Amino acid sequence: MERIPILRMGHFLLVTIQIDLYDRLATNLEADLVQMVNRTGARGVLIDISALNIVDSFMGRILGNIGSMSKIMDAETVVVGMQPAVAITLIELGLELKGVHTALNVEKGMELLKQKIGPAEASDEDDDEDGTE
Amino acid sequence: MKQDYFKGLQKRKKQILENWMKSQLSDESLREDLMTNENLREQSEELLNAILGTITEKNISEGMTAEFEQVHEILAGISISRARQGYSPRETGVFVFSLKDALLNSLKEDLSNDPKALADVVLKMNKFMDSMGIITFETFIKGREEVILRQTDEITEISTPVIRVWDGILALPIIGTLDSSRTQVVMENLLQQIVETGSTIAILDISGVPAVDSLVAQHLIKTVAATRLMGAECIISGIRPEIAQTVVHLGIDLSNIVTKASLAHALKYAFAMLKLEVRKPMKDKPSL
């Protein structure tokens, strides 16, 4: 079965959606992602949808679900790179993706995540960086 | 004898044209500023030729049939071009109806000794000219509507400029009423520009919007929500006191949207969000 790869990057999980999401794939992604958050204890999830041109209400709901689920597992979700057409469609469908943060691109999304997970984790990371240098 | 008077008209074409031109030139609604008399004469002659070339005893009573297609086309062309040039309906009407006078006068002279035939042909001619009048006004109004449509398009196009006020800050001054179709254009332009410039803050200035009702507010909220989905922050500025009053009276909740009284305040807020500072240069630097 096709799956969307979930990459781990430090405290964060990285998902890049590069193909059209059909419903089955989306529900799999939702389940995999929650499992992954649990297993790795990730503090943030970054979903890149810049290659996604078509979105429907189901897809919108899945994104919202991922956000809410991660939230109660103490992980923040950032959706990055949404296309204008997709944003307009979601708004017209009445889905505002509450509980999900958004950013223009991956870089800004990463910054946002680092900022969101609080100074404790950030200082950990700083310590790590200091240690390696 | 009955077939003769249309041929008679053909022969007297020159005189009819002269009469027609005379009555057009003497009418007070003549627009010499829009068209020279030579052009007017050309137009008139073309139309008259077409009419006299097609008109016969048989087809005059049948109204605007396929035989009159050429007449129809010429008339429609003249009428539309007049609508575009800014002629008034009256001035366009005079053009056609003064031809009727000229034709009827000429028929009167031809048939002065046969009142019965005269009455008959005058009635038919009247009917024919009336249908010409209807065509004129139909196409005239169509021409005017085209002008209006084109202007509406132009207004929508130029009325939604997205300005890049700073690196990462876009401003969009909205002037005029916001309706659904315009909101769509505004939203698309704004989102497109956000992607192109990679801006994180958009300022929507509504000081030029005359009235805000629940529908307009709904549109604004939608635009802000779409901007947020893209990952940018949207500030609404230019909330005039009257707008604040209506918004509260209508019970519209704008509390989860950043609103500022003026564009300056919004810009200041945006600078603060980007951790930028605007300062006056120090006049005398002790270190130098």
Side-chain angles (χ1 to χ4, degrees), chain B residues 54-79:
Chain B
T54 20
I55 204 165
T56 61
E57 167 69 21
K58 207 167 148 295
N59 61 19
I60 188 170
S61 48
E62 286 165 9
M64 282 290 165
T65 50
E67 289 173 56
F68 285 103
E69 202 169 306
Q70 199 202 350
V71 178
H72 194 146
E73 248 170 49
I74 293 172
L75 192 59
I78 291 174
S79 182

Side-chain angles (χ1 to χ4, degrees), chain A residues 79 81-84 86-88 90-92 95-97 102-104 108, chain B residues 184 187-188 191-192 194-195 198-200 222 225-226 228-232:
Chain A
V79 171
M82 190 182 292
Q83 296 291 327
V86 172
I88 293 172
L90 284 180
I91 292 303
E92 294 297 336
L95 296 163
E96 291 191 25
L97 298 191
T102 48
L104 276 178
K108 284 183 176 134
Chain B
Q184 195 72 18
M187 209 193 270
E188 275 168 22
L191 298 190
Q192 198 55 47
I194 286 175
V195 173
S199 304
T200 44
K222 263 188 189 174
R228 275 199 190 143
L229 276 186
M230 299 272 307

Side-chain angles (χ1 to χ4, degrees), chain A residues 3-78:
Chain A
R3 276 176 192 286
I4 289 178
I6 301 169
L7 314 174
R8 191 183 160 192
M9 230 182 104
H11 292 290
F12 309 125
L13 294 179
L14 203 65
V15 181
T16 320
I17 300 173
Q18 284 170 350
I19 50 169
D20 283 336
L21 268 190
Y22 48 93
D23 293 0
R24 188 65 177 279
L25 205 57
T27 34
N28 280 345
L29 175 66
E30 184 189 288
D32 288 354
L33 204 54
V34 182
Q35 288 291 334
M36 199 71 170
V37 170
N38 185 35
R39 209 163 57 231
T40 59
R43 300 295 318 280
V45 176
L46 190 137
I47 306 173
D48 172 31
I49 57 165
S50 55
L52 203 65
N53 286 315
I54 300 163
V55 79
D56 58 8
S57 55
F58 184 76
M59 186 54 218
R61 218 184 70 213
I62 291 286
L63 282 179
N65 283 353
I66 292 174
S68 316
M69 290 169 187
S70 311
K71 185 88 187 169
I72 52 175
M73 294 177 77
D74 195 27
E76 300 283 345
T77 308
V78 178

Side-chain angles (χ1 to χ4, degrees), chain B residues 8 49 56 64 90 99 102 120 123 146 169 236 270 273:
Chain B
N49 277 341
T56 61
M64 282 290 165
R90 192 198 134 83
L99 171 62
D120 189 47
L123 271 178
E146 271 169 23
I169 305 174
I236 295 185
M273 278 178 78

